[in-house]
Amino acid sequence: MNRKIIIFTIIVMTIALIGLMGIQIYWIKNASAVKEASFQRTVTEVLAKVVNKIEKLEKRKASETNPYEGMLNFNRHLLYERFITEPLLDSLILLELNIRGIDTRFEFGIYNPERDLFLLEKDPGLRKSLIEKGSAARLFVSDIYTSPEYLLLYFPHEKQFLLTELWGMLLISIILIIVIVYSFTYTITTIFHQKKLSEMKNDFINNMTHEFKTPISTISLACEALSDRDIVRSPEFTENYINIILEENKRLATMAEKILQTAVIEKGQLKMKRERIDLHEVITDVIKNIRIQVEIKDGVIRKQCKAANPVLIGDKVHLTNLVYNLLDNANKYSPRKPVITVRTENISNGILLTIEDHGIGISKEEQKKIFDKLYRVPTGNIQDVRGFGLGLSYVKAIVEEHYGRISLESEINKGTTFKVFLPFTE
Ligand SMILES: Nc1ncnc2c1ncn2[C@@H]1O[C@H](COP(=O)(O)OP(=O)(O)OP(=O)(O)O)[C@@H](O)[C@H]1O
Ligand SMILES: [Mg+2]
């Protein structure tokens, strides 16, 4: 997929997601406003009911005390002191609230604003909140002789109570949003990963075609020369060309083997022999093979094999390939006069193999990726070194098969040191 299309899709999806979240927040806010309004309605209803009951009680008490006085003006203080006590009011309100399913702490009081006086109250500490935030209903509306009194009702935990009512909805919304955001980021990272992989595969195919093309054309040229009847053929001439064909053929076989080997690792079908191997012998063999390539570039390979015990249990072919790959890299990535040092020493029940070069080095960022299959450091135009990006992933797999560890230290333009620890496993 085109990079621009991917970025465009990400932007559109992000906007859609933010929009969706916005709508969600809007709906939740709306729902909470509706809840608040309905709560307020219920509270007004409760107040009306309680006021009604108080008035009925007052009438009854007044007529009981003094029928004449009751009709005109009953002594209100007497009423609050004797009959409408705080526990009675508390239970009246509680009953009405319970009927309507409101189960949260409440405070109340009877207040006369003209005289700024509380005739009755539950908690004197909450007077201010009661006046400022409480709901009010007037008592004794028909009583025109005395200054108005109000029944105040206040819920200190109103917000929390309403929130718990919305809690389920909020929780589901949050979970859904998390699921969507997670799937979205997962999809995006997968797309980028796949894109990277497909680019790497393309590079690999390009590289492979180039690598195979050179020996193939050399072989075909050599064959042409051999079959050309006009050329006078001496035995040396023929031998020379046959040698070229054999060499190139070997190169082709090695490359094919490398690709096949990677496929085998991929399938998890790598089989290791377990035989006694002298690592120093392996190193000597590999150096013998690679020396010419290094010397062509005026380079040297130094061998400092100090391990007193170089014998371990492992697979000779794979360990040879391992050393070869590391030495091949050290040579390939040293553009001028490679100076390569191979060291061994015995540490903590095993052998530490160190391969050091003074080549182009690898940046910290790239160091994390070079063991990935098909990964090659993009060297731009500076280097024209061919490779499949398979060597180090193979090396890592082999080290792990031998229960070992591999690490590296590297600095750009200073050089690289690969350290391979192989334990004795007996
Ligand atoms: N000694 C080194 N110095 C600098 N860069 C290195 C060195 N060894 C490896 N690299 C970097 O790590 C990358 C991966 O190495 P790896 O051996 O896996 O692949 P390759 O050498 O490109 O191809 P091949 O499959 O032929 O070995 C290389 O492309 C190179 O950029
Ligand atoms: Mg390599």
Side-chain angles (χ1 to χ4, degrees):
M1 220 201 287
N2 191 326
R3 197 179 177 80
K4 273 189 189 148
I5 297 176
I6 296 178
I7 291 173
F8 178 74
T9 319
I10 292 173
I11 293 172
V12 169
M13 267 175 92
T14 313
I15 293 172
L17 211 65
I18 292 171
L20 209 68
M21 271 150 78
I23 290 172
Q24 197 77 6
I25 291 167
Y26 172 78
W27 279 119
I28 290 173
K29 265 193 150 168
N30 244 4
S32 112
V34 168
K35 278 260 170 216
E36 217 172 306
S38 116
F39 182 79
Q40 213 46 54
R41 250 197 326 274
T42 318
V43 170
T44 317
E45 229 175 87
V46 168
L47 279 172
K49 278 264 179 208
V50 175
V51 163
N52 193 276
K53 281 189 181 165
I54 292 176
E55 284 177 357
K56 270 190 190 151
L57 205 73
E58 187 238 14
K59 274 205 187 97
R60 215 169 56 227
K61 293 296 165 194
S63 54
E64 275 170 16
T65 329
N66 180 345
Y68 303 108
E69 196 184 343
M71 284 169 79
L72 293 168
N73 190 9
F74 176 64
N75 185 341
R76 208 54 66 63
H77 274 291
L78 199 70
L79 176 80
Y80 295 130
E81 268 166 31
R82 290 206 198 144
F83 309 114
I84 306 178
T85 54
E86 190 225 303
L88 175 76
L89 199 51
D90 191 65
S91 60
L92 279 180
I93 298 172
L94 189 68
L95 179 73
E96 293 301 328
L97 287 176
N98 277 352
I99 291 172
R100 288 162 184 81
I102 296 178
D103 179 21
T104 178
R105 208 187 111 191
F106 63 91
E107 297 293 334
F108 60 84
I110 292 179
Y111 178 61
N112 184 325
E114 253 173 45
R115 288 155 63 197
D116 190 20
L117 180 74
F118 270 88
L119 302 160
L120 197 148
E121 65 204 319
K122 190 175 174 189
D123 182 353
L126 286 168
R127 279 182 184 171
K128 204 162 172 280
S129 309
L130 259 176
I131 296 170
E132 282 170 8
K133 298 182 206 153
S135 311
R138 188 162 165 198
L139 284 156
F140 314 114
V141 184
S142 51
D143 186 351
I144 49 169
Y145 298 107
T146 50
S147 53
E149 285 157 10
Y150 292 88
L151 171 63
L152 301 179
L153 188 55
Y154 165 60
F155 299 89
H157 306 313
E158 182 186 329
K159 281 260 171 305
Q160 287 96 310
F161 174 70
L162 290 176
L163 210 68
T164 38
E165 297 245 301
L166 283 174
W167 186 232
M169 201 160 111
L170 256 172
L171 196 73
I172 291 171
S173 299
I174 290 170
I175 291 173
L176 285 181
I177 286 172
I178 289 173
V179 167
I180 293 172
V181 169
Y182 174 78
S183 326
F184 177 52
T185 33
Y186 181 74
T187 314
I188 295 299
T189 40
T190 313
I191 289 176
F192 274 110
H193 189 75
Q194 291 297 337
K195 193 169 149 52
K196 188 101 208 248
L197 214 69
S198 98
E199 276 168 11
M200 268 159 58
K201 286 215 162 118
N202 276 347
D203 284 352
F204 169 70
I205 291 166
N206 281 344
N207 265 334
M208 195 171 73
T209 324
H210 272 283
E211 293 269 304
F212 276 91
K213 240 163 110 183
T214 327
I216 289 169
S217 51
T218 318
I219 290 172
S220 71
L221 280 177
C223 288
E224 260 174 45
L226 282 176
S227 57
D228 195 336
R229 284 169 200 279
D230 299 337
I231 297 174
V232 188
R233 274 165 286 174
S234 64
E236 292 91 63
F237 174 89
T238 317
E239 199 187 319
N240 203 4
Y241 274 91
I242 287 174
N243 272 344
I244 291 175
I245 293 171
L246 279 176
E247 270 310 306
E248 293 300 303
N249 203 35
K250 220 162 89 186
R251 219 169 110 189
L252 279 175
T254 319
M255 288 193 295
E257 181 61 22
K258 199 170 191 174
I259 296 164
L260 283 178
Q261 221 33 282
T262 314
V264 169
I265 296 176
E266 182 108 305
K267 282 190 201 150
Q269 291 172 342
L270 201 62
K271 283 203 178 66
M272 292 285 128
K273 278 191 195 148
R274 293 185 61 75
E275 51 198 1
R276 290 174 72 80
I277 292 153
D278 185 335
L279 192 66
H280 288 170
E281 270 177 24
V282 170
I283 294 171
T284 314
D285 284 350
V286 175
I287 291 181
K288 213 190 287 169
N289 272 330
I290 213 164
R291 172 158 277 143
I292 306 164
Q293 293 175 42
V294 179
E295 281 171 358
I296 288 171
K297 288 160 82 180
D298 260 351
V300 282
I301 302 183
R302 293 187 195 130
K303 197 167 81 172
Q304 297 173 0
C305 293
K306 293 195 180 128
N309 179 9
V311 181
L312 51 85
I313 305 291
D315 187 304
K316 190 164 185 179
V317 176
H318 286 301
L319 283 177
T320 308
N321 289 341
L322 179 152
V323 179
Y324 182 84
N325 269 302
L326 291 177
L327 278 177
D328 178 47
N329 280 351
N331 176 43
K332 272 203 303 197
Y333 302 107
S334 298
R336 278 177 302 276
K337 292 191 182 173
V339 179
I340 303 163
T341 317
V342 185
R343 294 191 191 91
T344 62
E345 57 185 300
N346 282 122
I347 59 160
S348 57
N349 212 21
I351 308 171
L352 181 71
L353 165 71
T354 315
I355 292 175
E356 183 190 309
D357 67 58
H358 297 281
I360 56 171
I362 309 161
S363 69
K364 274 261 168 309
E365 268 307 296
E366 306 287 351
Q367 285 178 24
K368 291 177 215 148
K369 305 179 200 159
I370 53 167
F371 292 103
D372 292 349
K373 208 177 70 200
L374 295 182
Y375 188 81
R376 302 196 75 220
V377 177
T379 39
N381 298 325
I382 315 159
Q383 271 331 107
D384 187 25
V385 186
R386 294 223 167 273
F388 295 141
L390 295 175
L392 285 180
S393 68
Y394 169 79
V395 166
K396 192 165 179 237
I398 299 304
V399 170
E400 279 165 6
E401 286 291 331
H402 286 83
Y403 311 103
R405 287 188 306 271
I406 182 161
S407 63
L408 77 148
E409 283 160 20
S410 185
E411 215 178 308
I412 289 277
N413 294 330
K414 291 251 168 69
T416 309
T417 306
F418 277 95
K419 287 183 179 171
V420 177
F421 172 70
L422 297 165
F424 299 129
T425 46
E426 280 197 84

